[in-house]
Amino acid sequence: MDWDDFADWGHRVTDWARDYRKTVSERPVRARTEPGEVLDALPQAPPEAPEPMQDIFRDFEDIVMPGITHWQHPRFFAYFSANAAAPSVLAEFLTAAISPQCMLWQTSPAATEMETRMMQWLGGAIGLPDDFAGVIQDSASSATLAAVLTMRERALDWQGNRAGLSGQPRLRVYCSSEVHTSVDRAIWVAGIGQDNLVRVPIRGDWRGMDPRALEDAINADHDAGHRPAGLILSVGATGTGATDPVAGCLEVAERHGLYTHVDAAWAGAAMICPEFRSYWQGVERADSIVFNPHKWLGAQFDCSAHFLRDPDDLVRTLAIQPEYLKTHGKDGIVNYSEWSVPLGRRFRALKIWFLIRTYGLEGLRDRLRNHVAWSRALHDRLAETPGFEIVTPPMWSLWTFRYLPEGARDPDALNLALVNAINDDGRIYLTQTRVDGKLVIRFQAGQFDTTEADVMSAHDVICEIAGRLG
Ligand SMILES: *Cc1c(COP(=O)(O)O)cnc(C)c1O
C-alpha cells in the first residue's frame, strides 16, 4: 500500500467510523455469534498473493463486525464502560501514524513531557495534592503489579530482585474479599503467593474492609513471625462498587509501615466531581493510586493513570539501566520505562490531551454527573416495582438487583435466566455477579453518549422480559 492509497482509505475508514458510531444504537449490544463462527469464516492459511484493500474491508464488515459486542453502544450497562470518545480516537490515529516508542525521554521528549503534564492535570482534576507524581501504565493490572513488586522489594530491604525469594521471610499483603482479580494475579506473579494474600472481613453498605479487623490480622501475622508488606484498598470494586474506608485503613497501614496501593480503576474518574470524593476521603496518604481514564472518563483503551506519592520506591524496584538505554548529559529527565514492567511504551498521553481540551473538565463532569443521576433514577424506579429487590445500593452509578417474584423457587437460576434472556434480546446489555453467595444482576451507566432515555429504557426491557419468564 502506498501512502496515497493509505490516505484514500483513511478517509473511507473515518466515514465508516462516523456512520458506525451514529447508528450503533440500532444494533444488538451483545454479539449474537455462535462459538467457532468467526474462526470458520477465516481461511486456514494466509494468502500467498496480495489482496486488494477492497476485499479486506468487505470481509471486515461481513466477518468481523457481526462478531463484535458494541462497547460504545449507549445501552451498554454491563461490566464497566470502556469509552472511546471521538477526540481520543483521533489522537490514537495520530499516535499510530507516528508510532514513537516512549521508553526514554530521548526516544521522544514530547511524549515524556506530555505524559508528565497530563498526569499533573489528571491528579489535580481528581483532587490529589501536587506532590504526587504520575505515570501512564497500559492497564490497572500493570499498575497493581508494579505496586505489589514495590511492596515486596521494600519489605525485603530491596533484596528480592537480586537474591530471589527463597529463604526470605513470609510476606503478607492485605485486601478485602471484594478486590479485583488483578490483585490475585499480581500476588502470584510477584512470587508472594495466594496463601499470603490476607482477606480482611468487610462490613456495612459499602462492603468495605473493617480497619480493626485489618489491625488484628497484621498483629496476628507479626506474632506468627510473618512480615506484613502491603495493603491494597478498593474504591469502587468491580462487583458492587465496594469501597474500603480509606482514611481508617491507611492509618493502620502507616502505623505498621506498610506500602499502600488504592485500586480505583473505575471510580477514580468520578473524582473529577468534588461531590463524589467523600468516598475516598484520606486518599492523599496512600503511596500508590490507580484509575483508568480508559473506562469512564472517555480515553480510548489503553490508558491507566498511576499516581505515586514518592516514585523513588517504584523506580528503585523496576529500573534497569543497561548501557544502551542510558541517556547521557541531561539532568532532571524522566525515563518512564523505569516506572513500569514493560520496556516499550506507547504515546498514551496524547489522547488525554485531546480529550480534556475538547470537552473541558466541566464537560466531562457534566457527563459523569448525568450518568450517576440517571442510574439512581432507574434504581428508584426499579426499587418500587413489585417483584424486584435492590441488593446493593448505588455506588456512583453502579448497583445490583434481583428478580424475586412471589413463590420463586430457585432465585439464582431465575436471575441467571433473566440476564441471559435480556442479553439475547439485545436492546440492553447487563452482567451478573455474586453478593454473599447470591447471584445478582448489575446495572451501571457510564457510556459516553448514553442519554436519560437510554438509561430509563432499561426499566421497560427488564420488566418486559422478566414478565415473560414468569
Ligand atoms: C477494570 C478494573 C481493573 C482492571 O483494569 P485493567 O485496566 O483492565 O487491568 C482493576 N480493578 C478494578 C476495580 C476494575 O474495575
Side-chain angles (χ1 to χ4, degrees):
M1 179 177 261
D2 69 29
W3 290 100
D4 292 322
D5 286 342
F6 168 83
D8 289 343
W9 277 99
H11 287 295
R12 290 175 66 168
V13 164
T14 310
D15 288 350
W16 182 93
R18 174 200 56 208
D19 295 343
Y20 169 68
R21 286 297 192 91
K22 286 177 80 171
T23 60
V24 65
S25 69
E26 295 162 19
R27 302 183 189 230
V29 193
R30 191 179 72 174
R32 292 185 163 152
T33 317
E34 295 297 326
E37 219 176 298
V38 178
L39 190 61
D40 289 345
L42 297 169
Q44 304 245 354
E48 293 291 341
E51 295 187 63
M53 184 51 70
Q54 198 83 32
D55 294 0
I56 301 171
F57 200 80
R58 186 200 58 222
D59 288 345
F60 160 73
E61 291 196 288
D62 293 350
I63 299 173
V64 176
M65 285 314 293
I68 291 292
T69 292
H70 301 288
W71 283 74
Q72 308 311 319
H73 194 300
R75 292 188 303 281
F76 183 102
F77 304 125
Y79 307 98
F80 286 130
S81 297
N83 286 312
S88 78
V89 176
L90 290 178
E92 272 296 285
F93 183 88
L94 294 173
T95 294
I98 53 185
S99 281
Q101 275 292 343
C102 308
M103 52 222 193
L104 306 177
W105 179 85
Q106 71 170 4
T107 63
S108 273
T112 295
E113 294 184 14
M114 172 76 75
E115 186 161 335
T116 301
R117 185 64 80 214
M118 289 307 104
M119 288 304 294
Q120 286 168 352
W121 281 17
L122 286 172
I126 62 172
L128 295 182
D130 309 337
D131 55 354
F132 272 84
V135 56
I136 304 181
Q137 307 277 11
D138 55 3
S139 63
S141 305
S142 290
T144 297
L145 174 59
V148 168
L149 292 168
T150 307
M151 286 172 193
R152 184 190 80 188
E153 286 305 291
R154 208 170 144 272
L156 294 179
D157 212 9
W158 316 100
Q159 294 305 306
N161 281 340
R162 196 185 53 77
L165 302 186
S166 132
Q168 299 282 11
R170 192 160 165 177
L171 301 184
R172 305 286 270 178
V173 174
Y174 307 86
C175 67
S176 85
S177 53
E178 306 286 301
V179 287
H180 190 267
T181 50
S182 55
V183 171
D184 299 73
R185 280 176 161 168
I187 293 289
W188 304 345
V189 173
I192 292 172
Q194 185 83 57
D195 292 348
N196 296 310
L197 183 62
V198 181
R199 312 268 181 186
V200 178
I202 58 168
R203 59 167 197 199
D205 258 9
W206 291 11
R207 303 180 66 75
M209 191 185 292
D210 178 351
R212 230 180 275 156
L214 169 65
E215 186 135 44
D216 290 347
I218 296 171
N219 285 331
D221 282 340
H222 273 303
D223 292 347
H226 304 330
R227 188 171 295 179
L231 170 67
I232 299 173
L233 297 177
S234 294
V235 173
T238 316
T240 66
T243 295
D244 296 317
V246 172
C249 293
L250 289 179
E251 200 188 304
V252 173
E254 252 170 50
R255 230 180 353 259
H256 292 273
L258 306 189
Y259 190 85
T260 53
H261 175 65
V262 175
D263 177 4
W266 163 64
M271 305 310 179
I272 63 170
C273 305
E275 71 272 27
F276 297 141
R277 290 181 198 152
S278 53
Y279 286 106
W280 77 355
Q281 196 246 319
V283 74
E284 63 284 347
R285 315 272 297 257
D287 293 308
S288 162
I289 302 166
V290 66
F291 100 87
N292 280 344
H294 71 231
K295 279 182 172 157
W296 203 354
L297 200 67
Q300 188 270 354
F301 185 85
D302 50 3
C303 186
S304 193
H306 188 190
F307 299 95
L308 299 147
R309 194 145 53 95
D310 175 5
D312 286 356
D313 286 349
L314 178 78
V315 172
R316 189 162 176 194
T317 301
L318 294 177
I320 299 180
Q321 283 213 329
E323 199 51 38
Y324 75 95
L325 288 177
K326 284 198 180 136
T327 43
H328 299 283
K330 288 262 179 193
D331 286 329
I333 60 171
V334 178
N335 294 320
Y336 278 122
S337 60
E338 298 178 343
W339 300 44
S340 56
V341 175
L343 171 65
R345 309 181 71 253
R346 292 167 11 79
F347 183 11
R348 301 189 183 92
L350 193 70
K351 57 194 169 191
I352 296 287
W353 196 48
F354 273 46
L355 177 79
I356 294 182
R357 293 185 65 189
T358 302
Y359 296 96
L361 287 176
E362 206 42 50
L364 296 172
R365 288 189 198 107
D366 283 348
R367 276 184 152 76
L368 270 66
R369 284 180 175 133
N370 280 336
H371 299 159
V372 171
W374 299 336
S375 173
R376 290 183 181 190
L378 178 73
H379 160 275
D380 294 349
R381 206 159 149 208
L382 202 71
E384 285 167 7
T385 306
F388 289 92
E389 170 194 274
I390 302 299
V391 180
T392 58
M395 297 294 286
W396 301 276
S397 66
L398 168 66
W399 45 278
T400 64
F401 68 95
R402 300 226 286 174
Y403 179 45
L404 271 187
E406 225 161 290
R409 254 178 284 133
D410 186 348
D412 281 6
L414 178 64
N415 279 278
L416 189 59
L418 175 58
V419 82
N420 285 334
I422 287 170
N423 294 336
D424 287 344
D425 170 85
R427 281 174 286 174
I428 65 173
Y429 185 21
L430 301 175
T431 39
Q432 71 275 8
T433 187
R434 282 193 183 267
V435 175
D436 302 329
K438 293 184 293 195
L439 189 132
V440 304
I441 304 180
R442 291 169 81 255
F443 181 89
Q444 70 79 30
Q447 203 282 323
F448 207 74
D449 295 320
T450 197
T451 63
E452 184 170 14
D454 285 318
V455 173
M456 295 314 286
S457 76
H459 184 265
D460 297 343
V461 175
I462 293 166
C463 293
E464 178 195 314
I465 294 175
R468 255 191 263 149
L469 288 181

